Amino acid sequence: MAEKIRLEDRECPLSSTLGVVGEWWTLLILHDAFDGYTRFDQFQQNMGISTSMLTSRLKRLVANGVLERRQYHAHPPRYEYILTDLGHSLRPVIVVLAAWATID
């Protein structure tokens, strides 16, 4: 039986990209970030995403340099998520994906 190859183990630029942004919640988070959302509660309220799912996706985006986590309040600690240059470079991809959905 052939060994199953994981997406993140493939040596391919597309596989690497999908490993970071290929989950649909992640794409929706990025869409909201391009619309100006920066705070956890904004993302959660707009998408109806669970706390654990949102936390997981934001951590992955921060770890991969797509978003930067910045503290905006000390007590209690509150953070916002800001698109990095790398994150901004994904904008054309998101726009094309959204446009593709409207093609008849």
Side-chain angles (χ1 to χ4, degrees):
M1 181 175 207
E3 184 178 335
K4 185 176 180 182
I5 298 174
R6 298 180 322 154
L7 178 65
E8 57 270 16
D9 292 339
R10 294 189 59 198
E11 293 184 24
C12 166
L14 184 56
S15 295
S16 298
T17 302
L18 289 173
V20 176
V21 298
E23 299 159 334
W24 67 281
W25 278 121
T26 301
L27 291 172
L28 293 174
I29 291 167
L30 289 172
H31 181 268
D32 279 1
F34 292 128
D35 280 349
Y37 293 82
T38 60
R39 298 188 177 171
F40 190 96
D41 58 333
Q42 291 173 322
F43 291 117
Q44 190 173 36
Q45 184 176 18
N46 192 52
M47 292 185 286
I49 186 174
S50 72
T51 299
S52 62
M53 183 67 70
L54 181 56
T55 298
S56 169
R57 298 305 183 261
L58 288 172
K59 282 183 180 180
R60 185 176 195 109
L61 288 167
V62 170
N64 284 284
V66 177
L67 294 175
E68 178 183 337
R69 184 176 182 238
R70 294 183 192 163
Q71 188 171 4
Y72 70 88
H73 193 271
H75 300 290
R78 299 280 185 206
Y79 299 89
E80 59 186 357
Y81 297 88
I82 308 299
L83 286 160
T84 63
D85 288 342
L86 182 63
H88 281 288
S89 73
L90 288 165
R91 185 179 192 92
V93 175
I94 303 297
V95 169
V96 169
L97 284 171
W100 182 82
T102 63
I103 296 174
D104 291 315

